[in-house]
């Protein structure tokens, strides 16, 4: 190529630009992106990553250090740990002449009286002791975890209460049959269970199992309640009490603590007799569209949600014989029942809101609140009937 | 140079570098890459090129671009360019002496636009077909009733006439 050729190429290129519009492209953005920002963000990103990782490590260390750890078993007082070692799960603690106090999980305090031996068992939030001999006085905070006192005789399960458990031994007797367990409940409720059966005990109750001593008195009292006194027949009213046992056929035992009110259709001459009694409660029966009598499904579903130890307010009546039937459920109880019916939820699967606890339960509602709910329900019913009435009128007019 | 100063340098010289690389024979995409790499190579160099005046900088950038273009030719070996590296001195001389003329080529471009208006109708039609419509020689031959070689000769003659016109016009301007 000579100068002539280069000149020709120069003009050729410029004509492409002037006539053909092939203008030199704008490349400054590309160049700068490559020359400057490409380097800076990489450094920044690297620094940011490093800072992030460092912050995460520091946060993790802080969380680990500051996270409230589950307290290990602690003991104080005059005690010994059998076979030495420290107080820990599995250790056997004994007292001789003095007393000791054991704290488990930060929510269960076990006072060991003299001459007591126990082994620390259980797990996090499910604390337990195995009482070998002697007596323990327990104080368990509410809604923190479960607690059990286990023994050869049975298990005392609680979830927030004060009680004591003593192992009673016959003189000279060392075999199982010679042992009994005395349970005193100062507050709340406990469930005592063993091979001999199970029983719920409440504040003020005292029982020895298995024996015919104080327990026999309880049993006798229950036996006496098997027959309904004449003054209570035809009862219809609202009561508050505790579920003490669940039956096989959609029934439950209900220990009545208070009589809240009686309804107009109450025929019991002495409704106050119901207070302190344990009554058998069943669902109400209703005639179906096919003319057959069946238990009300909502009541059955509601009974399914109940757990032993649960406190609740109930509207019941004595239709016949010695048992009682549910009259109406409160709005909250209906919601629970519907939820149970829809989801198949049972206390075993879903204990939320039905854990026995001192001073009330989650289904509890004051009489005033229940009355308000009843009024609201009636208003809804009236509104529904009005709508149906209007619909029927429209239908009639359209036919005319 | 900081980012803003470097950006100003790129904006000032990018068109000339691109045009130059195209002039050497690179296709458009290669010319873009070489233009970009020219400025990146410049900023990574340790020589104090930022102290040079604009014309010296332009010459320095052309030198980098030329070398990059030659590297590209060696790598590709696809014959995308017809340039003979041994003749690049002529290319640089033509660019510098005829196009730039101590400036940035703006005068040459303006003179070329003016000279195009002076072209006879048939030549103007041929330029439009070739450069605006991007017609092939075969298409042009059919339209202008010439052979393909005749079209090639015609276009070359037009370009030579335009170059002569521009040179005369710029020479006249210089004389004034």
């Amino acid at each position: 190529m000579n100068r002539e050729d280069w000149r020709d190429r120069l003009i050729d290129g410029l004509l492409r630009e002037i006539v053909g519009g092939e203008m030199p492209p704008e490349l400054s953005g590309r160049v700068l992106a490559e020359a400057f920002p490409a380097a800076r963000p990489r450094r920044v990103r690297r620094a940011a990553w490093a800072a992030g990782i460092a912050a995460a490590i520091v946060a993790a260390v802080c969380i680990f250090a500051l996270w409230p750890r589950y307290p290990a078993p602690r003991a104080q007082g005059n005690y010994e740990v059998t076979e030495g070692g420290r107080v820990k799960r599995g250790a056997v603690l004994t007292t001789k002449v003095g007393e000791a106090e054991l704290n488990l999980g930060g929510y269960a305090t076990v006072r060991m009286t003299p001459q007591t031996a126990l082994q620390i068992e259980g797990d996090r939030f499910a604390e337990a002791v195995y009482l070998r001999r002697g007596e323990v006085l327990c104080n368990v905070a509410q809604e923190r975890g479960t607690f059990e006192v286990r023994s050869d005789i049975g298990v005392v399960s609680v979830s927030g209460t004060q009680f004591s458990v003593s192992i009673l031994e016959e003189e000279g007797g060392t075999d199982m049959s010679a042992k009994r367990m005395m349970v005193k409940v100062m507050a709340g409720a406990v469930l005592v269970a063993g091979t001999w059966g199970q029983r719920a005990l409440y504040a003020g109750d005292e029982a020895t199992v298995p024996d015919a001593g104080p327990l026999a008195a309880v049993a006798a009292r229950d036996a006496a309640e098997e027959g309904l006194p004449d003054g209570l027949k035809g009862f219809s009213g609202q009561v508050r009490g505790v579920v003490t046992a669940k039956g096989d056929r959609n029934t439950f035992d209900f220990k009545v603590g208070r009589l809240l009110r009686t309804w107009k259709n109450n025929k019991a001459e002495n409704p106050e007799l119901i207070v302190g009694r344990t009554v058998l409660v069943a669902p109400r029966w209703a005639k179906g569209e096919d003319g057959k009598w069946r238990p009300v499904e909502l009541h059955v579903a509601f009974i399914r949600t109940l757990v032993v130890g649960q406190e609740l307010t109930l509207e019941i009546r004595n239709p016949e014989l010695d048992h009682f039937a549910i009259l109406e459920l409160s709005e909250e109880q209906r919601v629970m029942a519907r939820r149970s019916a829809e989801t198949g939820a049972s206390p075993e699967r879903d204990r939320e809101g039905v854990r026995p606890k001192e001073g009330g339960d989650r289904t509890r509602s004051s009489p005033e609140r229940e009355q308000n709910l009843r009024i609201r329900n009636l208003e809804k019913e009236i509104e529904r009937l009005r709508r149906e009435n209007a619909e029927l009128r429209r239908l009639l007019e359209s036919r005319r | 140079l900081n980012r803003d100063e470097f950006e100003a340098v790129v904006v000032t010289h990018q068109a000339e570098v691109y045009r130059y690389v195209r002039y050497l024979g690179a296709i458009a995409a290669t010319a873009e890459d070489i233009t970009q790499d020219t400025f990146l190579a410049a900023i990574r160099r340790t020589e104090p090129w930022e102290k040079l005046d604009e014309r010296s900088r332009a010459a320095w950038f052309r030198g980098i671009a030329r070398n990059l273009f030659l590297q590209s030719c060696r790598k590709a070996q696809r014959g995308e360019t017809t340039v003979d590296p041994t003749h690049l001195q002529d290319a640089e001389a033509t660019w510098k002496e005829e196009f730039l003329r101590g400036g940035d080529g703006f005068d040459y471009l303006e003179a070329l636009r003016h000279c195009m208006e002076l072209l006879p109708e048939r030549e103007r039609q041929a330029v439009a077909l070739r450069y605006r419509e991007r017609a092939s020689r075969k298409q042009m031959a059919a339209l202008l009733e010439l052979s393909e070689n005749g079209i090639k000769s015609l276009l070359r003659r037009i370009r030579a006439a335009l170059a002569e016109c521009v040179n005369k016009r710029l020479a006249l301007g210089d004389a004034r």
Side-chain angles (χ1 to χ4, degrees):
Chain A
M1 285 180 74
N2 54 28
R3 292 284 292 260
E4 198 72 28
D5 295 330
W6 285 114
R7 191 180 297 121
D8 182 64
R9 186 176 278 190
L10 174 64
I11 299 293
D12 181 63
L14 295 176
L15 287 174
R16 287 175 195 277
E17 190 176 321
I18 295 168
V19 181
E22 292 183 22
M23 304 298 288
E26 168 54 53
L27 297 169
S28 59
R30 256 172 76 172
V31 174
L32 290 167
E34 191 72 26
F36 288 99
R40 257 164 63 184
R42 205 174 293 151
R43 279 200 295 273
V44 171
R45 225 177 293 140
R46 213 173 286 156
W49 269 105
I53 290 166
I57 291 168
V58 169
V61 169
C62 288
I63 288 169
F64 183 76
L66 300 174
W67 191 267
R69 290 180 193 167
Y70 191 84
R74 286 196 323 269
Q76 57 183 13
N78 299 314
Y79 68 93
E80 283 178 9
V81 179
T82 308
E83 297 176 359
R86 60 188 180 87
V87 177
K88 59 183 180 184
R89 224 170 281 284
V92 177
L93 274 61
T94 54
T95 53
K96 288 181 180 171
V97 288
E99 290 190 343
E101 194 171 277
L102 177 64
N103 188 289
L104 298 170
Y107 67 88
T109 306
V110 181
R111 211 172 99 208
M112 299 170 67
T113 57
Q115 300 297 325
T116 296
L118 61 79
Q119 184 168 15
I120 303 170
E121 293 188 342
D123 210 336
R124 290 157 58 94
F125 303 108
E127 297 291 347
V129 293
Y130 193 92
L131 186 60
R132 292 185 172 181
R133 67 166 185 272
E135 182 182 5
V136 287
L137 283 84
C138 308
N139 192 343
V140 183
Q142 286 184 21
E143 297 187 346
R144 296 279 297 278
T146 60
F147 179 70
E148 286 180 357
V149 177
R150 301 165 183 165
S151 74
D152 292 340
I153 299 108
V155 178
V156 184
S157 316
V158 298
S159 173
T161 185
Q162 284 184 347
F163 67 102
S164 70
V165 183
S166 322
I167 301 293
L168 310 173
E169 294 181 46
E170 298 289 339
E171 278 186 29
T174 54
D175 61 330
M176 277 284 293
S177 60
K179 282 186 179 179
R180 288 173 293 153
M181 182 168 71
M182 178 184 272
V183 183
K184 291 180 191 172
V185 183
M186 277 73 86
V190 301
L191 185 69
V192 189
T195 52
W196 39 267
Q198 71 173 42
R199 179 163 296 279
L201 297 175
Y202 306 92
D205 280 352
E206 178 180 326
T208 303
V209 289
D211 199 3
L215 183 63
V218 175
R221 188 183 65 196
D222 290 349
E225 288 170 1
E226 282 176 4
L228 204 63
D230 291 340
L232 201 51
K233 289 189 174 169
F235 174 91
S236 178
Q238 191 182 48
V239 292
R240 183 159 182 80
V242 180
V243 177
T244 55
K246 297 228 9 213
D248 294 334
R249 303 184 66 184
N250 299 321
T251 59
F252 64 97
D253 287 349
F254 188 62
K255 183 175 181 181
V256 179
R258 284 168 64 196
L259 171 64
L260 299 174
R261 66 187 62 193
T262 54
W263 303 128
K264 281 183 182 175
N265 62 351
N266 173 55
K267 292 171 184 167
E269 293 172 359
N270 193 359
E272 289 290 337
L273 284 174
I274 199 167
V275 177
R277 302 188 73 82
T278 298
V279 296
L280 181 74
V281 182
R284 192 177 76 224
W285 284 58
K287 206 173 190 177
E289 289 178 357
D290 56 358
K292 291 182 180 175
W293 287 85
R294 293 190 185 85
V296 174
E297 284 181 14
L298 205 61
H299 294 181
V300 174
F302 170 69
I303 292 170
R304 229 178 275 140
T305 68
L306 300 176
V307 291
V308 173
Q310 182 178 348
E311 274 187 61
L312 67 154
T313 299
L314 268 183
E315 289 179 22
I316 51 173
R317 69 183 279 257
N318 169 234
E320 56 183 358
L321 303 176
D322 298 330
H323 80 278
F324 284 73
I326 296 172
L327 266 176
E328 291 290 339
L329 295 175
S330 70
E331 184 61 30
E332 285 177 70
Q333 289 167 345
R334 271 200 287 270
V335 169
M336 278 178 63
R338 281 195 203 102
R339 194 174 142 217
S340 164
E342 286 166 8
T343 62
S346 65
E348 286 70 31
R349 272 191 277 175
D350 182 5
R351 286 180 176 270
E352 186 184 353
V354 290
R355 192 182 288 171
K357 68 178 190 179
E358 188 184 357
D361 65 28
R362 306 212 177 171
T363 62
R364 178 180 59 183
S365 53
S366 67
E368 293 79 14
R369 195 175 168 193
E370 287 195 2
Q371 193 171 359
N372 288 336
L373 280 170
R374 192 189 304 280
I375 290 165
R376 270 210 301 277
N377 289 336
L378 281 170
E379 285 170 350
K380 281 180 192 169
E381 186 67 14
I382 290 165
E383 185 60 32
R384 188 181 65 78
L385 288 169
R386 273 185 188 148
R387 280 200 302 273
E388 280 183 6
N389 195 22
E391 188 67 25
L392 285 169
R393 277 175 191 278
R394 272 200 297 276
L395 272 171
L396 276 170
E397 282 172 9
S398 66
R399 283 185 184 178
R400 279 173 195 161
Chain B
L1 289 181
N2 61 29
R3 182 190 167 88
D4 293 342
E5 289 168 339
F6 183 67
E7 185 178 10
V9 169
V10 175
V11 168
T12 304
H13 294 278
Q14 63 177 348
E16 191 194 331
V17 173
Y18 176 82
R19 224 176 254 142
Y20 181 70
V21 179
R22 286 285 277 152
Y23 161 72
L24 293 178
I27 60 168
T30 307
E32 284 186 18
D33 291 344
I34 289 173
T35 305
Q36 178 180 320
D37 291 345
T38 298
F39 291 108
L40 293 174
I43 201 168
R44 286 164 193 158
R45 294 276 176 95
T46 53
E47 294 107 67
W49 56 269
E50 61 271 18
K51 290 178 182 171
L52 299 172
D53 60 60
E54 289 296 336
R55 290 301 92 212
S56 302
R57 269 187 201 175
W60 193 65
F61 290 143
R62 283 201 306 278
I64 295 171
R66 195 165 53 242
N67 290 333
L68 290 171
F69 173 66
L70 289 173
Q71 284 176 21
S72 165
C73 288
R74 287 189 203 108
K75 273 186 191 171
Q77 293 181 343
R78 289 178 309 192
E80 75 176 27
T81 175
T82 55
V83 73
D84 180 352
T86 57
H87 295 151
L88 284 179
Q89 283 180 343
D90 285 343
E92 174 63 18
T94 304
W95 185 266
K96 192 176 176 182
E97 292 166 15
E98 295 192 18
F99 177 62
L100 297 177
R101 294 173 184 256
D104 57 1
F106 180 79
D107 293 343
Y108 196 94
L109 278 168
E110 286 302 302
L112 181 60
R113 282 195 182 93
H114 180 76
C115 289
M116 280 173 61
E117 291 173 5
L118 301 176
L119 286 172
E121 181 59 32
R122 185 177 168 83
E123 278 75 10
R124 287 175 70 173
Q125 192 182 3
V127 168
L129 284 170
R130 178 73 184 98
Y131 293 99
R132 186 180 300 141
E133 307 301 328
R134 291 175 181 138
S136 64
R137 278 183 196 161
K138 194 177 178 180
Q139 289 169 324
M140 285 178 72
L143 287 165
L144 298 175
E145 296 177 346
L146 286 171
S147 66
E148 288 188 35
N149 280 335
I151 296 296
K152 186 181 175 182
S153 299
L154 175 65
L155 288 171
R156 188 161 176 106
R157 273 203 311 275
I158 294 168
R159 286 193 293 263
L162 285 171
E164 192 179 344
C165 172
V166 169
N167 281 337
K168 278 182 184 172
R169 189 174 178 81
L170 291 173
L172 191 65
D174 290 343
R176 284 176 185 168

